[in-house]
Amino acid sequence: MNGSSKMHYKGWEIVPQALPIGDSKWTASCDIERAGTDGVEVFEGATMQFVRESEDDAIAAACEEAIRQIDNLIANPLVRLA
């Protein structure tokens, strides 16, 4: 997966963003979004920034956190992301 891809998970889209930060390291985070009756609902910055040695590793860490966030929203839909 690269930083311009979306990943579908349980009716949500995970949208990763990754940037090189020097010292051969990458930082990545994810937005999550879902289509609803009022259009697309986007949770920007749903994950914190993950710094890793490679772009793939940074994106993988951010996507794992996004999956946890989605599972939490599904388990308790009254809780909103902070």
Side-chain angles (χ1 to χ4, degrees):
M1 172 176 276
N2 62 45
S4 63
S5 298
K6 287 185 179 183
M7 183 174 84
H8 184 76
Y9 181 74
K10 294 184 178 179
W12 292 76
E13 298 293 331
I14 298 172
V15 186
Q17 300 90 36
L19 296 169
I21 56 171
D23 294 332
S24 299
K25 294 189 187 273
W26 286 79
T27 184
S29 67
C30 290
D31 296 341
I32 58 175
E33 57 187 44
R34 68 176 169 185
T37 57
D38 295 328
V40 176
E41 183 177 19
V42 177
F43 295 86
E44 293 181 352
T47 67
M48 62 183 178
Q49 296 288 324
F50 289 85
V51 176
R52 299 291 187 271
E53 297 293 321
S54 73
E55 179 182 15
D56 287 342
D57 289 346
I59 290 172
C63 288
E64 288 172 13
E65 175 64 19
I67 287 169
R68 282 191 290 276
Q69 294 285 355
I70 291 167
D71 287 341
N72 289 340
L73 284 167
I74 291 169
N76 188 354
L78 298 178
V79 173
R80 307 307 282 175
L81 294 173

